[in-house]
Amino acid sequence: TPVKGKLLKRIQDACQTVDDDVRWLVALISDTGMRLGEAAGLLVNDIDLTHPIPHVTIRPHSHRTLKTTSSHRVIPLCGSALWAAKRIVESSASHFCFPRYNTTESTNANSASATCNKWLKAITKQQVVIHGLRHGMRDRLRDVDSPTELIDQIGGWSLQSIGQNYGNGFNLDTLSKWLNKACTYHSTFQQA
């Protein structure tokens, strides 16, 4: 089930209240639409807060591969994801963003999923799962009339048409514009 509206706001507020690495992971996914394994396997140097448009680069690492070729991408940071990225960088004592889920050989996305889902169910009193944040982001981008190709690029979804394989895709500025619209829309128009 896609997570958005008041439920998403409650989750994001709780993330900032608890303010630890698990909540940073949830917040990061909530406003980027990343897959859990992508987020859990991030390195600190995948986050760029010094660029005029803060962003995260999703790329393969020796400890974590990517699902598809279109999964390699750059996602602008806004809202709760930007807050989480700042907290991760400020607090980093490792080159991994989430050391508890990583070794030099692998990322334990199953453990991250179990931890996040247990907390989400406790905080929402509903059958909310971490993957619902990813689906919610897709809906939120649709809600602000983002182009489908842009939504696919942000989420790293497989390209649906041959034409989508041509060119370099949307630039960071354009991605940021639409993602910020989705974050702003979400915070000003709360729907159940």
Side-chain angles (χ1 to χ4, degrees), residues 130-166:
I130 193 77
H131 199 67
L133 297 172
R134 177 168 164 77
H135 286 256
M137 175 50 74
R138 188 168 183 99
D139 277 355
R140 290 163 57 203
L141 286 163
R142 283 184 185 123
D143 290 344
V144 295
D145 299 321
S146 301
T148 302
E149 280 186 50
L150 181 133
I151 296 171
D152 288 343
Q153 185 176 331
I154 287 174
W157 281 283
S158 294
L159 303 177
Q160 302 302 312
S161 74
I162 292 171
Q164 287 179 282
N165 290 308
Y166 291 97

Side-chain angles (χ1 to χ4, degrees), residues 8 12 15-16 23-34 47-49 51-57 74-88 137 140-141 144 146 150 154 172-187:
L8 178 59
Q12 290 176 331
C15 285
Q16 292 196 29
R23 272 35 73 166
W24 302 338
L25 179 59
V26 172
L28 191 63
I29 293 168
S30 76
D31 276 340
T32 60
M34 270 187 254
I47 297 172
D48 188 344
L49 299 176
H51 190 277
I53 298 173
H55 60 274
V56 60
T57 302
V74 176
I75 306 173
L77 294 166
C78 66
S80 289
L82 180 58
W83 166 79
K86 287 177 179 175
R87 294 295 294 127
I88 291 163
M137 175 50 74
R140 290 163 57 203
L141 286 163
V144 295
S146 301
L150 181 133
I154 287 174
L172 192 56
D173 189 53
T174 303
L175 294 172
S176 179
K177 178 182 95 171
W178 285 103
L179 205 49
N180 274 292
K181 275 187 181 184
C183 287
T184 303
Y185 174 81
H186 154 70
S187 62

